[in-house]
Amino acid sequence: MNTTPSKRERDEILKWLNRNRQMLLDLYKNQYIAYNTNGIIAHSENLREVLALANAAKQPFLIYLVPRRTASIEIYQFASVPLLVMIGNQTIA
């Protein structure tokens, strides 16, 4: 079976990711997940392991590396002051 999702399937799979992003951050930080519209097929910090398990499931899937943390970025620039970038609580000039 072809495990490469069609464009329509990819769109639906990405919608699942967006709906479940907070749960993924809570449970799977710093792990690769193989997932589709039905949910998570496999997860591990080892990408090869995730690929092997996901391919064995014989379902279309995408891979996502869940970040360790999220941060917001704010960019400020004033006419007479150099550009400042805020990442989390850090200022980078």
Side-chain angles (χ1 to χ4, degrees):
M1 174 179 184
N2 182 6
T3 57
T4 304
S6 68
K7 180 181 178 344
R8 184 189 62 76
E9 288 172 319
R10 273 194 319 270
D11 291 345
E12 291 302 313
I13 293 170
L14 289 173
K15 286 178 187 176
W16 182 92
L17 176 68
N18 287 328
R19 283 192 308 268
N20 293 281
R21 192 172 303 274
Q22 189 58 53
M23 179 268 300
L24 296 173
L25 289 168
D26 292 342
L27 300 175
Y28 302 102
K29 285 181 180 145
N30 203 38
Q31 293 187 48
Y32 294 94
I33 61 164
Y35 69 102
N36 61 24
T37 56
N38 296 321
I40 296 172
I41 299 167
H43 66 91
S44 172
E45 290 183 11
N46 184 310
L47 177 58
R48 287 186 178 153
E49 182 180 324
V50 171
L51 286 170
L53 291 168
N55 282 320
K58 300 184 186 312
Q59 301 177 44
F61 66 89
L62 295 178
I63 297 287
Y64 177 64
L65 174 58
V66 181
R68 290 182 189 167
R69 61 191 157 119
T70 59
S72 61
I73 297 176
E74 298 178 39
I75 299 175
Y76 300 94
Q77 185 166 9
F78 302 96
S80 61
V81 179
L83 178 67
L84 297 176
V85 177
M86 297 283 296
I87 300 177
N89 295 330
Q90 297 178 329
T91 302
I92 301 171

